Amino acid sequence: MFSHVTLGTNDLDRAGLFYDALLMPLGLVQRPVTPDGGPPSLCWIKPGQTLPRLNIYRPFNGAPATAGNGVMVAFEAPSPAAVDSAYAGGMATGGTCEGAPGPRPHYGEGYYGAYLRDPDGNKLHVVFRGDIRG
């Protein structure tokens, strides 16, 4: 359904450390970005796939990156342990807690997730969807 999601950052190096720590437990890896005339950026994908992608950019207009009110990106985890690991990695590299890892039965039986913000304030959710896995 999605080609890519793009989030802004004010510090690309810091964002790279944060997203590597958050996304590696979920099986995502950073891929090289071919310069295209836009601002410097980073990109993560699932190995062997070209889409979807998570892109982290300095804003194209040169203004500071700000988090969107009401915007949240959710990442699927293969297990509750991967949620825990991704959350721990994100917190260790500058994230802030918006909801510690744990079951969230009000969303569905087997739903296990965590919420955090990246160092630029973007809200993220890491979730294992036991409620819809077959």
Side-chain angles (χ1 to χ4, degrees):
M1 175 187 285
F2 296 102
S3 167
H4 60 280
V5 171
T6 300
L7 296 172
T9 185
N10 294 303
D11 186 332
L12 204 56
D13 292 332
R14 179 184 68 187
L17 293 172
F18 175 86
Y19 281 99
D20 275 344
L22 179 78
L23 298 175
M24 285 175 33
L26 307 179
L28 300 173
V29 296
Q30 204 175 138
R31 76 179 252 318
V33 176
T34 304
D36 61 2
S41 64
L42 301 172
C43 179
W44 285 262
I45 60 168
K46 187 174 275 191
Q49 297 182 357
T50 57
L51 296 175
R53 297 177 182 181
L54 173 69
N55 299 310
I56 305 296
Y57 279 86
R58 291 189 186 134
F60 189 80
N61 65 4
T66 58
N69 187 25
V71 174
M72 180 178 72
V73 177
F75 298 97
E76 182 183 17
S79 67
V83 172
D84 294 344
S85 183
Y87 175 83
M91 293 299 291
T93 54
T96 55
C97 180
E98 288 284 326
R104 296 202 165 47
H106 52 288
Y107 293 140
E109 185 65 33
Y111 194 108
Y112 186 93
Y115 296 89
L116 67 159
R117 290 191 184 266
D118 74 8
D120 290 291
N122 295 300
K123 190 171 183 182
L124 310 169
H125 181 41
V126 182
V127 60
F128 171 72
R129 295 293 309 260
D131 60 326
I132 59 173
R133 288 188 174 248

